[in-house]
Amino acid sequence: MPDGRIDAAAGPSLDAVEMSSADSRAVLLARDLLRVPSVTPAGPEAFAPVEAVLAAAGFTVRRRVFSEPGTADTINLWAEIGEGGPHLAFNGHLDVVPPGPEASWRKPPFSGAIEDGELWGRGAVDMKGGVAAFLAAVLGRLDARGGDPGGRISILLTGDEEGPAVNGTRKLVDWCVAEGAVFDAAIVGEPTSRHRLGDTVKIGRRGSLSASLTVAGVQGHAAYPERAANPIPPLLAVAAALTDPPLDDGTEHFAPSNLEIVSVDVGNPSWNVIPGAARLRLNVRYNDTWTRDTLPAELERRIAAVPLPAGVSVQLAVEAGYGDVFLTRPGRLVDCMAAAIRDVTGLTPELGTSGGTSDARFLKDLCPVVEFGPVGTTMHQLDERVPVAELDQLALIYGRLLARFFGDDDAPGAR
Ligand SMILES: [Zn+2]
């Protein structure tokens, strides 16, 4: 679909939402989102329910499709309301990972079934539940304040977070910035809670670097090694140098960086041939000791320190497009998030940095960003589901976050 503003009357109306209480609005919204199969990249029908409610609430809603050769076109949505500051952005994705064998699900993966207090479906926790909860919080705030957000709020949704993410949040935020948007803070509604809603907020993510290493030698007859240069012993020596000693001991907010050799490949079917080359592939999950520049330099330094026999050379090739490490240092946003969680759950969240990369990496250079959302136990699994009470509570937490961030008079500690 081409770019354009979305008319409130254009999309299907969420009739059930109008009649529900603010608390269960999150559940009904999530259910409607879950009923749309939206395996990456999410199609326009996945965005329609969101566009309808946001336009009806007074948001300026815009949609753009980003493209790049070799990747799928991706729909992105930017909805904005309010004037002046501060400007808070909620970020999420409407695409989901494939459901796997549908017959193995206890409820169909795109049914949005609600049973025994749980809402079922692919994306219930990752992350249509979180999206529905922050939408419900924002809509509830507008209802309560006669349509005045009390600041500026942006909703940033993409249809490709689970895939290559080339045409997703990265380009979406570039577009916002090109249009003059200045964000003061961002929340990503990914499932960050571990055991109970509110036990963990992610204030950073480790970086991820993948690289291939090739050791080139000289092929030859196993009976005449003096005429060959076997690349395998040097490869083993290089592997040892890369993994020992450890890259670091961890930092204040991060676990130690970890280098995993994920494959060693020679592919030699013969018993009497010394192979000409040997390769390995590695992945590093790295903390804020390193950057995307200093880490490859450290790997090169370790490789260069290994003495190589004559005729052997080593080459390291870093894969493009990896996620860099980031950390949002404790401050106003983290304080507001933690306080909102305490307001609703009584829990003091752990400020974590574990797990894989997320779209927060595309927001980190614009403003402080934290991730907070449901308990992630069933994400990407068969029978993905979320307790409806958890979604309601999550919406309440996002609502408290808005009140605290915008300094409402009734927010404890408001300024
Ligand atoms: Zn996700």
Side-chain angles (χ1 to χ4, degrees):
M1 173 171 284
D3 303 347
R5 280 163 198 258
I6 309 300
D7 186 341
S13 82
L14 283 167
D15 48 345
V17 168
E18 312 304 331
M19 60 183 219
S20 67
S21 71
D23 285 1
S24 57
R25 186 181 236 155
V27 175
L28 296 169
L29 260 168
R31 184 202 61 186
D32 286 0
L33 294 175
L34 288 171
R35 286 177 173 170
V36 181
S38 59
V39 174
T40 312
E45 62 283 358
F47 289 82
V50 175
E51 289 164 348
V53 292
L54 289 176
F59 274 83
T60 302
V61 182
R62 289 183 285 178
R63 198 196 266 191
R64 276 193 77 174
V65 176
F66 295 116
S67 308
E68 199 157 307
T71 59
D73 288 359
T74 301
I75 299 171
N76 292 270
L77 178 145
W78 176 23
E80 193 182 20
I81 194 168
E83 290 180 346
H87 191 166
L88 182 67
F90 285 98
N91 170 250
H93 61 88
L94 291 177
D95 61 315
V96 296
V97 294
E102 298 199 17
S104 301
W105 283 64
R106 285 188 278 154
K107 311 256 183 271
F110 299 109
S111 62
I114 299 175
E115 203 168 298
D116 296 331
E118 291 185 309
L119 173 64
W120 290 65
R122 172 57 82 227
V125 293
D126 187 10
M127 65 171 280
K128 291 176 174 178
V131 170
F134 66 59
L135 291 174
V138 170
L139 296 171
R141 178 175 179 83
L142 293 170
D143 283 352
R145 299 170 53 92
D148 169 23
R152 191 180 291 223
I153 299 172
S154 277
I155 307 289
L156 308 173
L157 298 177
T158 186
D160 177 10
E161 190 270 354
E162 301 285 7
V166 169
N167 298 311
T169 299
R170 179 198 301 267
K171 291 183 178 174
L172 172 57
V173 300
D174 285 351
W175 169 41
C176 298
V177 169
E179 293 282 317
V182 178
F183 301 121
D184 296 300
I187 311 288
V188 182
E190 289 278 7
T192 60
S193 298
R194 293 171 62 191
H195 306 292
R196 285 181 62 189
L197 181 69
D199 62 9
T200 310
V201 170
K202 295 232 164 118
I203 60 167
R205 292 274 187 166
R206 292 178 297 178
S208 172
L209 175 144
S210 296
S212 307
L213 185 129
T214 302
V215 179
V218 179
Q219 188 180 331
H221 197 302
Y224 300 92
E226 67 280 5
R227 296 178 191 166
N230 191 339
I232 296 176
L235 179 95
L236 299 177
V238 168
L242 289 171
T243 49
D244 184 27
L247 286 164
D248 55 68
D249 299 325
T251 63
E252 185 184 358
H253 293 284
F254 286 91
S257 301
N258 181 53
L259 185 150
E260 283 299 326
I261 292 171
V262 295
S263 187
V264 174
D265 308 284
V266 180
N268 179 11
S270 303
W271 294 100
N272 59 356
V273 174
I274 293 169
R279 296 176 184 82
L280 66 77
R281 293 188 293 123
L282 60 91
N283 177 257
V284 190
R285 298 297 164 131
Y286 62 95
N287 63 33
D288 55 346
T289 305
W290 307 101
T291 68
R292 61 169 72 215
D293 297 322
T294 62
L295 181 58
E298 169 64 11
L299 301 184
E300 293 283 10
R301 189 192 67 75
R302 289 180 179 223
I303 292 166
V306 176
L308 297 176
V312 171
S313 63
V314 180
Q315 198 171 28
L316 182 76
V318 174
E319 294 287 306
Y322 57 89
D324 202 6
V325 61
F326 79 91
L327 175 69
T328 295
R329 296 205 170 271
R332 177 159 164 71
L333 175 63
V334 176
D335 289 350
C336 287
M337 190 75 251
I341 290 166
R342 265 198 308 277
D343 289 347
V344 177
T345 67
L347 297 175
T348 298
E350 180 189 322
L351 306 179
T353 56
S354 64
T357 61
S358 78
D359 273 1
R361 66 191 146 139
F362 303 128
L363 290 150
K364 71 177 176 67
D365 294 330
L366 303 181
C367 61
V369 54
V370 300
E371 299 172 56
F372 177 67
V375 177
T377 322
T378 59
M379 63 177 157
H380 296 206
Q381 294 185 356
L382 293 176
D383 293 338
E384 183 174 349
R385 60 197 187 277
V386 64
V388 294
E390 188 176 317
L391 285 189
D392 287 341
Q393 224 181 13
L394 181 58
L396 289 175
I397 293 170
Y398 289 137
R400 292 305 301 160
L401 170 76
L402 286 162
R404 286 181 170 276
F405 190 78
F406 288 126
D408 294 0
D409 292 341
D410 69 334
R415 52 172 215 192

mmCIF file of all heavy atoms in Angstrom, residues 93 95 125-127 161-162 189-191 358 379-380, ligand 1:
data_model
loop_
_atom_site.group_PDB
_atom_site.id
_atom_site.type_symbol
_atom_site.label_atom_id
_atom_site.label_comp_id
_atom_site.label_asym_id
_atom_site.label_seq_id
_atom_site.Cartn_x
_atom_site.Cartn_y
_atom_site.Cartn_z
ATOM 1 N N HIS A 93 6.301 -4.567 17.106
ATOM 2 C CA HIS A 93 6.165 -5.199 15.790
ATOM 3 C C HIS A 93 4.893 -6.036 15.745
ATOM 4 O O HIS A 93 4.489 -6.620 16.746
ATOM 5 C CB HIS A 93 7.390 -6.046 15.447
ATOM 6 C CG HIS A 93 7.672 -7.195 16.376
ATOM 7 N ND1 HIS A 93 7.115 -8.441 16.204
ATOM 8 C CD2 HIS A 93 8.458 -7.303 17.473
ATOM 9 C CE1 HIS A 93 7.563 -9.260 17.148
ATOM 10 N NE2 HIS A 93 8.369 -8.605 17.946
ATOM 11 N N ASP A 95 4.527 -8.369 13.180
ATOM 12 C CA ASP A 95 4.812 -9.656 12.557
ATOM 13 C C ASP A 95 5.086 -10.686 13.644
ATOM 14 O O ASP A 95 5.404 -10.339 14.790
ATOM 15 C CB ASP A 95 6.010 -9.560 11.595
ATOM 16 C CG ASP A 95 7.304 -9.140 12.284
ATOM 17 O OD1 ASP A 95 7.257 -8.188 13.089
ATOM 18 O OD2 ASP A 95 8.348 -9.766 12.040
ATOM 19 N N VAL A 125 2.546 -13.219 23.316
ATOM 20 C CA VAL A 125 3.558 -12.536 24.127
ATOM 21 C C VAL A 125 4.599 -11.820 23.275
ATOM 22 O O VAL A 125 5.188 -10.833 23.719
ATOM 23 C CB VAL A 125 4.271 -13.494 25.128
ATOM 24 C CG1 VAL A 125 3.307 -13.975 26.177
ATOM 25 C CG2 VAL A 125 4.932 -14.656 24.433
ATOM 26 N N ASP A 126 4.837 -12.299 22.060
ATOM 27 C CA ASP A 126 5.869 -11.684 21.206
ATOM 28 C C ASP A 126 5.276 -11.313 19.862
ATOM 29 O O ASP A 126 5.328 -12.095 18.935
ATOM 30 C CB ASP A 126 7.054 -12.642 21.058
ATOM 31 C CG ASP A 126 8.226 -12.017 20.341
ATOM 32 O OD1 ASP A 126 8.205 -10.790 20.117
ATOM 33 O OD2 ASP A 126 9.168 -12.745 19.986
ATOM 34 N N MET A 127 4.747 -10.049 19.720
ATOM 35 C CA MET A 127 4.543 -9.138 20.816
ATOM 36 C C MET A 127 3.263 -8.359 20.655
ATOM 37 O O MET A 127 3.169 -7.198 20.991
ATOM 38 C CB MET A 127 5.762 -8.207 20.998
ATOM 39 C CG MET A 127 5.994 -7.273 19.824
ATOM 40 S SD MET A 127 7.267 -6.010 20.204
ATOM 41 C CE MET A 127 6.313 -4.816 21.167
ATOM 42 N N GLU A 161 10.203 -7.444 12.357
ATOM 43 C CA GLU A 161 11.220 -7.455 13.403
ATOM 44 C C GLU A 161 11.824 -8.843 13.502
ATOM 45 O O GLU A 161 13.000 -9.003 13.770
ATOM 46 C CB GLU A 161 10.613 -7.067 14.765
ATOM 47 C CG GLU A 161 11.648 -6.820 15.862
ATOM 48 C CD GLU A 161 12.009 -8.062 16.650
ATOM 49 O OE1 GLU A 161 11.376 -9.134 16.440
ATOM 50 O OE2 GLU A 161 12.918 -8.010 17.482
ATOM 51 N N GLU A 162 10.991 -9.854 13.243
ATOM 52 C CA GLU A 162 11.429 -11.243 13.409
ATOM 53 C C GLU A 162 12.254 -11.726 12.219
ATOM 54 O O GLU A 162 12.934 -12.733 12.313
ATOM 55 C CB GLU A 162 10.210 -12.161 13.593
ATOM 56 C CG GLU A 162 9.316 -11.818 14.787
ATOM 57 C CD GLU A 162 9.928 -12.230 16.117
ATOM 58 O OE1 GLU A 162 11.101 -12.660 16.128
ATOM 59 O OE2 GLU A 162 9.228 -12.108 17.141
ATOM 60 N N GLY A 189 7.875 -2.741 23.694
ATOM 61 C CA GLY A 189 7.006 -3.625 24.486
ATOM 62 C C GLY A 189 7.288 -5.101 24.331
ATOM 63 O O GLY A 189 6.376 -5.922 24.387
ATOM 64 N N GLU A 190 8.545 -5.472 24.144
ATOM 65 C CA GLU A 190 8.911 -6.890 24.003
ATOM 66 C C GLU A 190 8.741 -7.619 25.333
ATOM 67 O O GLU A 190 8.798 -7.004 26.393
ATOM 68 C CB GLU A 190 10.382 -7.015 23.557
ATOM 69 C CG GLU A 190 10.655 -6.594 22.123
ATOM 70 C CD GLU A 190 10.332 -7.676 21.107
ATOM 71 O OE1 GLU A 190 9.763 -8.720 21.491
ATOM 72 O OE2 GLU A 190 10.637 -7.463 19.917
ATOM 73 N N PRO A 191 8.556 -8.930 25.267
ATOM 74 C CA PRO A 191 8.398 -9.702 26.514
ATOM 75 C C PRO A 191 9.708 -9.786 27.287
ATOM 76 O O PRO A 191 10.606 -10.527 26.907
ATOM 77 C CB PRO A 191 7.955 -11.088 26.025
ATOM 78 C CG PRO A 191 8.402 -11.170 24.601
ATOM 79 C CD PRO A 191 8.400 -9.763 24.068
ATOM 80 N N SER A 358 17.245 -6.687 19.799
ATOM 81 C CA SER A 358 15.862 -6.288 19.559
ATOM 82 C C SER A 358 15.886 -4.971 18.789
ATOM 83 O O SER A 358 16.943 -4.386 18.565
ATOM 84 C CB SER A 358 15.121 -6.093 20.880
ATOM 85 O OG SER A 358 15.482 -4.847 21.452
ATOM 86 N N MET A 379 7.107 -17.555 24.296
ATOM 87 C CA MET A 379 7.381 -16.900 23.009
ATOM 88 C C MET A 379 8.086 -17.846 22.050
ATOM 89 O O MET A 379 8.943 -18.626 22.447
ATOM 90 C CB MET A 379 8.179 -15.610 23.192
ATOM 91 C CG MET A 379 9.546 -15.748 23.769
ATOM 92 S SD MET A 379 10.325 -14.104 23.798
ATOM 93 C CE MET A 379 11.547 -14.327 25.062
ATOM 94 N N HIS A 380 7.661 -17.788 20.809
ATOM 95 C CA HIS A 380 8.192 -18.623 19.719
ATOM 96 C C HIS A 380 7.910 -20.119 19.933
ATOM 97 O O HIS A 380 8.436 -20.950 19.203
ATOM 98 C CB HIS A 380 9.705 -18.411 19.508
ATOM 99 C CG HIS A 380 10.064 -17.022 19.062
ATOM 100 N ND1 HIS A 380 11.197 -16.743 18.330
ATOM 101 C CD2 HIS A 380 9.445 -15.833 19.230
ATOM 102 C CE1 HIS A 380 11.258 -15.438 18.083
ATOM 103 N NE2 HIS A 380 10.203 -14.864 18.627
HETATM 104 ZN ZN ZN B 1 9.474 -9.613 19.460
#
